[in-house]
């Protein structure tokens, strides 16, 4: 098929068509996924992914794509993807370049994670190792041990048999500060308020946690209001 994104036209791109659809997809506004990983993780062996296709055929000015994500505003604007360039107006300071741990997913090495609580100080957590930067993941997915270690820093947080990890909706007031990911020697902070998700129905005062468990030996995470650039 021919794939058109913005002013980018990519011919002869193999796409996958579903023969069965889950109820979640039937009611969702999303019609499918445009994966931005390498061909090595393609669901169909031997198929060149969209990402590798545009690079191998030199469709881009530079072998780069960048992502700007923010909280949705009144016009439903929540960010953008820019293929082939970097929008310098979307961030301040210098970009931090980090080598890939392996060229399949966007997998890097996470140096560490810490809580920085206002007025108290920094608490380093026993969380580090391979991590995947994934703009398609709405949660921070950790191993069971890592998720337990993380929620140790949130008073009253618990792993419910029914709901998974939940925390008090006022966690950002109980633990004012941020969660900091150290990558390539630089700290990237996420305010605690962004780790509190929607309220749990039937449990007054409780909300879902943005950190969940289920990953094996790799953590998947993304942060809102971020700028990310990938060099291919």
């Amino acid at each position: 098929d021919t794939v058109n994104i913005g002013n980018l036209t990519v011919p002869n791109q193999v796409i996958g068509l579903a023969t069965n659809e889950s109820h979640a997809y039937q009611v969702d506004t999303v019609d499918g996924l445009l994966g931005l990983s390498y061909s090595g993780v393609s669901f169909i062996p031997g198929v060149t992914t969209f990402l590798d296709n545009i690079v191998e055929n030199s469709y881009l000015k530079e072998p780069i794509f960048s992502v700007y994500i923010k909280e949705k505003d009144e016009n439903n604007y929540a960010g953008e993807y820019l293929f082939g360039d970097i929008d310098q107006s979307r961030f301040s300071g210098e970009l931090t370049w980090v080598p890939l741990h392996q060229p399949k997913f966007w997998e890097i090495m996470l140096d560490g994670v810490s809580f920085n609580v206002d007025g108290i100080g920094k608490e380093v957590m026993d969380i580090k190792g391979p991590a995947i930067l994934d703009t398609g993941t709405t949660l921070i997915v950790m191993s069971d041990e890592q998720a337990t270690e993380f929620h140790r820093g949130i008073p009253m947080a618990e792993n419910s048999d029914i709901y998974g990890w939940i925390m008090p909706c006022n966690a950002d007031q109980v633990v004012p500060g941020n969660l900091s990911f150290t990558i390539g020697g630089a700290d990237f902070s996420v305010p605690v308020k962004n780790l509190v998700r929607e309220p749990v129905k039937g449990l007054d005062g409780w909300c879902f946690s943005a950190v969940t468990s289920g990953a094996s030996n790799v953590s998947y995470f993304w942060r809102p209001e971020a700028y990310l650039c990938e060099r291919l």
Side-chain angles (χ1 to χ4, degrees), residues 66-120:
S66 51
V67 187
Y68 173 64
I69 294 181
K70 65 182 293 294
E71 298 287 355
K72 185 184 295 184
D73 62 21
E74 64 276 7
N75 298 316
N76 285 329
Y77 175 79
E80 62 198 24
Y81 283 80
L82 181 60
F83 293 93
D85 208 346
I86 300 172
D87 188 343
Q88 301 286 341
S89 70
R90 293 302 191 190
F91 64 94
S92 60
E94 297 294 326
L95 288 174
T96 298
W97 294 95
V98 183
L100 285 181
H101 182 55
Q102 57 176 325
K104 293 177 66 178
F105 299 100
W106 292 106
E107 183 177 327
I108 49 88
M109 291 300 293
L110 181 65
D111 300 333
V113 179
S114 61
F115 255 126
N116 297 282
V117 183
D118 297 345
I120 296 179

Side-chain angles (χ1 to χ4, degrees), residues 15-181:
I15 62 174
L17 299 178
T19 55
N20 293 287
E21 193 174 52
S22 67
H23 176 71
Y25 261 119
Q26 292 174 20
V27 299
D28 202 335
T29 56
V30 176
D31 293 320
L33 298 173
L34 175 65
L36 293 177
S37 293
Y38 291 90
S39 298
V41 296
S42 175
F43 182 74
I44 307 173
V47 168
T48 300
T49 61
F50 170 80
L51 188 69
D52 279 341
N53 196 358
I54 60 178
V55 173
E56 291 173 5
N57 290 283
S58 302
Y59 289 123
L60 305 178
K61 182 175 70 173
E62 296 288 342
I64 287 174
F65 75 88
S66 51
V67 187
Y68 173 64
I69 294 181
K70 65 182 293 294
E71 298 287 355
K72 185 184 295 184
D73 62 21
E74 64 276 7
N75 298 316
N76 285 329
Y77 175 79
E80 62 198 24
Y81 283 80
L82 181 60
F83 293 93
D85 208 346
I86 300 172
D87 188 343
Q88 301 286 341
S89 70
R90 293 302 191 190
F91 64 94
S92 60
E94 297 294 326
L95 288 174
T96 298
W97 294 95
V98 183
L100 285 181
H101 182 55
Q102 57 176 325
K104 293 177 66 178
F105 299 100
W106 292 106
E107 183 177 327
I108 49 88
M109 291 300 293
L110 181 65
D111 300 333
V113 179
S114 61
F115 255 126
N116 297 282
V117 183
D118 297 345
I120 296 179
K122 180 178 182 179
E123 180 181 0
V124 178
M125 314 180 92
D126 186 20
I127 300 175
K128 60 182 179 180
I132 293 173
L133 299 170
D134 186 0
T135 57
T137 299
T138 56
L139 297 169
I140 299 173
V141 186
M142 298 181 175
S143 68
D144 293 340
E145 294 77 13
Q146 290 173 333
T148 299
E149 172 69 4
F150 162 76
H151 287 98
R152 183 175 60 82
I154 304 289
M156 296 180 64
E158 63 177 62
N159 191 7
S160 165
D161 291 337
I162 300 175
Y163 303 108
W165 282 103
I166 58 176
M167 64 173 68
C169 295
N170 66 343
D172 60 318
Q173 300 172 29
V174 178
V175 188
N178 61 71
L179 181 69
S180 183
F181 296 90

